Amino acid sequence: MKERQIRFSAPMVRAILDGAKTQTRRVVKPQPEWVNENAGCGIATGGGIMPSPRDDWLHWRGSRLLRPEPRCPYGLPGDRLWVRETFAIVPRTAYARSDGVQQTLRPDDDHDAAIYRAGWDRSNGGFRWRPSIHMPRWASRILLEIADVRVERLQDISEADAKAEGAHNHKYNGLDLAYARAYSDLWESINGPDSWAANPWVWVVEFRRIEP
C-alpha cells in the first residue's frame, strides 16, 4: 500500500464530506497519440488489450511497441490518497470552543491547528487562507482509499458516474439538465473553455473515505 496526495477544490471537498463524491477524473499526461486509423492506444496485457492500471500504458502499431508510459500516478486499488484543500494555520485555542469549526492539531507543536475553507461561514478573524498545494500532511483531515482505477474518454461518463463525481442535476432556462451535462459544466469551470469538447483520455479513480 502506498500513500499519495491529491488536491480538491472547496466544493468537491464538501461533496466528499457529504458522501456525494466517490470518483474523480484526472487528465492522462501525456495523452495517447493515435498514429493512424489502424493504430491503438491503451493498456496491453498479455495478448489482449484492456484499460487496467496494473500494467504500463502503451502505444503500439500492430505488434510494434512505440512508447511505454508510467502507471496511474494516483495509485492502484488499496492505495491511499490524503486530500489537500484550502486551509489556514491558527492558534489551537482560537476556535477550540466554536461549534461547527473542524480543526486538526499540529502533532509536534502545542500552538498550531489547521482549519478549512470548505464550509467556512464566518469572518476569517484576520488569518490568511493558504492554497491547497501548501497543505502539509499533518493538516489533512480527509483520507481516501482507492477502490478502482480505469482509463476512459471524458465524454464516456455515465449518468451514475457523473452523480458520483459530485455533479448536481440542475435546471437551466427551466429545463432539467442531466448529471452528465451538469458535470460537463463543472469540468469546464475547472479546466477552462473547450476542455470538455477536447474529450481527453482520463484516469477514473473511484474511492471510499476512511478514517485518517
Side-chain angles (χ1 to χ4, degrees), residues 67-92:
R67 184 179 64 190
E69 298 293 353
R71 297 184 180 185
C72 177
Y74 302 100
L76 299 173
D79 288 347
R80 294 179 175 183
L81 299 167
W82 61 273
V83 173
R84 278 178 157 167
E85 58 180 296
T86 303
F87 72 110
I89 301 295
V90 299
R92 64 170 60 197

Short mmCIF file of all heavy atoms in Angstrom, two decimals, residues 67-92:
data_model
loop_
_atom_site.label_atom_id
_atom_site.label_comp_id
_atom_site.label_asym_id
_atom_site.label_seq_id
_atom_site.Cartn_x
_atom_site.Cartn_y
_atom_site.Cartn_z
N ARG A 67 5.88 3.34 -27.41
CA ARG A 67 6.35 4.08 -26.25
C ARG A 67 5.62 3.63 -25.00
O ARG A 67 4.39 3.61 -24.96
CB ARG A 67 6.10 5.58 -26.46
CG ARG A 67 6.64 6.45 -25.33
CD ARG A 67 6.38 7.93 -25.62
NE ARG A 67 4.97 8.24 -25.66
CZ ARG A 67 4.48 9.40 -26.08
NH1 ARG A 67 5.29 10.32 -26.52
NH2 ARG A 67 3.19 9.63 -26.07
N PRO A 68 6.33 3.26 -23.95
CA PRO A 68 5.67 2.95 -22.68
C PRO A 68 5.45 4.22 -21.87
O PRO A 68 6.18 5.20 -22.00
CB PRO A 68 6.67 2.03 -21.99
CG PRO A 68 7.99 2.51 -22.50
CD PRO A 68 7.75 2.97 -23.93
N GLU A 69 4.42 4.23 -21.06
CA GLU A 69 4.13 5.35 -20.17
C GLU A 69 4.02 4.85 -18.73
O GLU A 69 3.82 3.67 -18.50
CB GLU A 69 2.82 6.05 -20.58
CG GLU A 69 2.84 6.64 -21.97
CD GLU A 69 3.80 7.81 -22.11
OE1 GLU A 69 4.36 8.25 -21.08
OE2 GLU A 69 4.00 8.27 -23.23
N PRO A 70 4.14 5.73 -17.75
CA PRO A 70 4.06 5.31 -16.35
C PRO A 70 2.67 4.79 -15.99
O PRO A 70 1.69 5.02 -16.69
CB PRO A 70 4.37 6.60 -15.57
CG PRO A 70 4.99 7.52 -16.56
CD PRO A 70 4.41 7.16 -17.89
N ARG A 71 2.62 4.08 -14.88
CA ARG A 71 1.34 3.65 -14.34
C ARG A 71 0.57 4.86 -13.82
O ARG A 71 1.09 5.97 -13.76
CB ARG A 71 1.56 2.64 -13.23
CG ARG A 71 2.22 1.35 -13.69
CD ARG A 71 2.33 0.36 -12.57
NE ARG A 71 2.97 -0.87 -13.03
CZ ARG A 71 3.11 -1.95 -12.27
NH1 ARG A 71 2.66 -1.95 -11.04
NH2 ARG A 71 3.68 -3.03 -12.75
N CYS A 72 -0.66 4.62 -13.42
CA CYS A 72 -1.50 5.70 -12.91
C CYS A 72 -0.78 6.43 -11.78
O CYS A 72 -0.38 5.81 -10.79
CB CYS A 72 -2.83 5.13 -12.41
SG CYS A 72 -3.90 6.40 -11.67
N PRO A 73 -0.62 7.75 -11.88
CA PRO A 73 0.12 8.49 -10.85
C PRO A 73 -0.64 8.59 -9.53
O PRO A 73 -0.05 9.02 -8.53
CB PRO A 73 0.31 9.87 -11.49
CG PRO A 73 -0.83 10.00 -12.44
CD PRO A 73 -1.06 8.62 -12.99
N TYR A 74 -1.91 8.22 -9.53
CA TYR A 74 -2.71 8.33 -8.30
C TYR A 74 -2.72 7.02 -7.52
O TYR A 74 -3.22 6.98 -6.39
CB TYR A 74 -4.13 8.79 -8.64
CG TYR A 74 -4.10 10.10 -9.37
CD1 TYR A 74 -4.23 10.16 -10.76
CD2 TYR A 74 -3.87 11.29 -8.69
CE1 TYR A 74 -4.15 11.35 -11.44
CE2 TYR A 74 -3.79 12.50 -9.36
CZ TYR A 74 -3.94 12.52 -10.73
OH TYR A 74 -3.84 13.72 -11.41
N GLY A 75 -2.19 5.94 -8.10
CA GLY A 75 -2.07 4.70 -7.38
C GLY A 75 -2.96 3.60 -7.91
O GLY A 75 -3.61 3.73 -8.96
N LEU A 76 -3.02 2.51 -7.17
CA LEU A 76 -3.77 1.32 -7.51
C LEU A 76 -4.80 1.04 -6.42
O LEU A 76 -4.73 1.61 -5.33
CB LEU A 76 -2.83 0.12 -7.65
CG LEU A 76 -1.77 0.22 -8.74
CD1 LEU A 76 -0.81 -0.96 -8.63
CD2 LEU A 76 -2.41 0.27 -10.11
N PRO A 77 -5.77 0.15 -6.68
CA PRO A 77 -6.73 -0.20 -5.63
C PRO A 77 -6.01 -0.65 -4.36
O PRO A 77 -5.07 -1.43 -4.40
CB PRO A 77 -7.53 -1.34 -6.27
CG PRO A 77 -7.50 -1.02 -7.73
CD PRO A 77 -6.13 -0.47 -7.98
N GLY A 78 -6.47 -0.11 -3.24
CA GLY A 78 -5.84 -0.39 -1.96
C GLY A 78 -4.89 0.70 -1.50
O GLY A 78 -4.62 0.83 -0.31
N ASP A 79 -4.36 1.50 -2.45
CA ASP A 79 -3.52 2.64 -2.08
C ASP A 79 -4.38 3.75 -1.49
O ASP A 79 -5.61 3.75 -1.64
CB ASP A 79 -2.76 3.17 -3.29
CG ASP A 79 -1.66 2.23 -3.75
OD1 ASP A 79 -1.31 1.30 -2.99
OD2 ASP A 79 -1.16 2.42 -4.87
N ARG A 80 -3.73 4.71 -0.85
CA ARG A 80 -4.46 5.77 -0.17
C ARG A 80 -4.06 7.14 -0.69
O ARG A 80 -2.94 7.35 -1.15
CB ARG A 80 -4.23 5.68 1.34
CG ARG A 80 -4.82 4.41 1.95
CD ARG A 80 -4.58 4.32 3.44
NE ARG A 80 -5.26 3.15 3.99
CZ ARG A 80 -5.27 2.84 5.28
NH1 ARG A 80 -4.63 3.61 6.15
NH2 ARG A 80 -5.91 1.77 5.70
N LEU A 81 -5.01 8.07 -0.61
CA LEU A 81 -4.80 9.44 -1.04
C LEU A 81 -5.16 10.37 0.11
O LEU A 81 -6.29 10.30 0.64
CB LEU A 81 -5.68 9.77 -2.25
CG LEU A 81 -5.45 8.94 -3.51
CD1 LEU A 81 -6.59 9.16 -4.49
CD2 LEU A 81 -4.12 9.30 -4.16
N TRP A 82 -4.23 11.23 0.52
CA TRP A 82 -4.59 12.24 1.52
C TRP A 82 -4.89 13.54 0.80
O TRP A 82 -4.23 13.92 -0.14
CB TRP A 82 -3.51 12.39 2.59
CG TRP A 82 -2.15 12.84 2.14
CD1 TRP A 82 -1.14 12.04 1.70
CD2 TRP A 82 -1.64 14.17 2.14
NE1 TRP A 82 -0.02 12.80 1.41
CE2 TRP A 82 -0.29 14.10 1.68
CE3 TRP A 82 -2.16 15.41 2.50
CZ2 TRP A 82 0.51 15.23 1.56
CZ3 TRP A 82 -1.36 16.54 2.37
CH2 TRP A 82 -0.04 16.43 1.91
N VAL A 83 -5.96 14.18 1.22
CA VAL A 83 -6.53 15.31 0.48
C VAL A 83 -5.92 16.62 0.93
O VAL A 83 -5.87 16.92 2.13
CB VAL A 83 -8.06 15.35 0.65
CG1 VAL A 83 -8.64 16.63 0.04
CG2 VAL A 83 -8.69 14.12 0.02
N ARG A 84 -5.46 17.38 -0.05
CA ARG A 84 -5.03 18.75 0.17
C ARG A 84 -6.19 19.68 -0.21
O ARG A 84 -6.79 19.52 -1.27
CB ARG A 84 -3.80 19.07 -0.68
CG ARG A 84 -2.50 18.58 -0.06
CD ARG A 84 -1.32 18.88 -0.94
NE ARG A 84 -0.08 18.94 -0.17
CZ ARG A 84 1.14 18.94 -0.70
NH1 ARG A 84 1.27 18.90 -2.02
NH2 ARG A 84 2.20 18.99 0.05
N GLU A 85 -6.45 20.67 0.64
CA GLU A 85 -7.52 21.63 0.40
C GLU A 85 -7.09 22.99 0.94
O GLU A 85 -6.09 23.09 1.66
CB GLU A 85 -8.81 21.17 1.07
CG GLU A 85 -8.66 20.98 2.58
CD GLU A 85 -9.94 20.51 3.25
OE1 GLU A 85 -10.90 21.28 3.23
OE2 GLU A 85 -9.95 19.39 3.79
N THR A 86 -7.85 24.04 0.60
CA THR A 86 -7.55 25.38 1.11
C THR A 86 -7.70 25.39 2.63
O THR A 86 -8.69 24.90 3.16
CB THR A 86 -8.48 26.41 0.48
OG1 THR A 86 -8.34 26.35 -0.94
CG2 THR A 86 -8.13 27.82 0.95
N PHE A 87 -6.71 25.95 3.33
CA PHE A 87 -6.68 25.86 4.78
C PHE A 87 -6.01 27.09 5.38
O PHE A 87 -5.52 27.98 4.67
CB PHE A 87 -5.90 24.60 5.21
CG PHE A 87 -4.40 24.71 4.99
CD1 PHE A 87 -3.54 24.81 6.07
CD2 PHE A 87 -3.86 24.74 3.71
CE1 PHE A 87 -2.16 24.92 5.88
CE2 PHE A 87 -2.49 24.85 3.51
CZ PHE A 87 -1.64 24.94 4.60
N ALA A 88 -6.00 27.15 6.69
CA ALA A 88 -5.29 28.20 7.41
C ALA A 88 -4.70 27.60 8.68
O ALA A 88 -5.22 26.61 9.21
CB ALA A 88 -6.21 29.36 7.76
N ILE A 89 -3.61 28.19 9.14
CA ILE A 89 -3.00 27.80 10.41
C ILE A 89 -3.34 28.88 11.44
O ILE A 89 -3.09 30.07 11.21
CB ILE A 89 -1.47 27.67 10.29
CG1 ILE A 89 -1.11 26.63 9.22
CG2 ILE A 89 -0.87 27.29 11.63
CD1 ILE A 89 -1.54 25.23 9.55
N VAL A 90 -3.93 28.48 12.54
CA VAL A 90 -4.34 29.40 13.60
C VAL A 90 -3.88 28.85 14.94
O VAL A 90 -3.53 27.67 15.06
CB VAL A 90 -5.88 29.58 13.60
CG1 VAL A 90 -6.36 30.16 12.27
CG2 VAL A 90 -6.57 28.26 13.90
N PRO A 91 -3.88 29.69 15.98
CA PRO A 91 -3.62 29.15 17.32
C PRO A 91 -4.68 28.09 17.67
O PRO A 91 -5.87 28.29 17.38
CB PRO A 91 -3.74 30.38 18.23
CG PRO A 91 -3.45 31.53 17.33
CD PRO A 91 -4.02 31.15 15.99
N ARG A 92 -4.28 27.01 18.27
CA ARG A 92 -5.22 25.93 18.53
C ARG A 92 -6.34 26.33 19.48
O ARG A 92 -7.37 25.67 19.53
CB ARG A 92 -4.49 24.69 19.04
CG ARG A 92 -3.80 24.85 20.38
CD ARG A 92 -3.32 23.49 20.90
NE ARG A 92 -2.38 22.86 19.99
CZ ARG A 92 -2.07 21.56 20.05
NH1 ARG A 92 -2.63 20.78 20.95
NH2 ARG A 92 -1.20 21.05 19.22
#
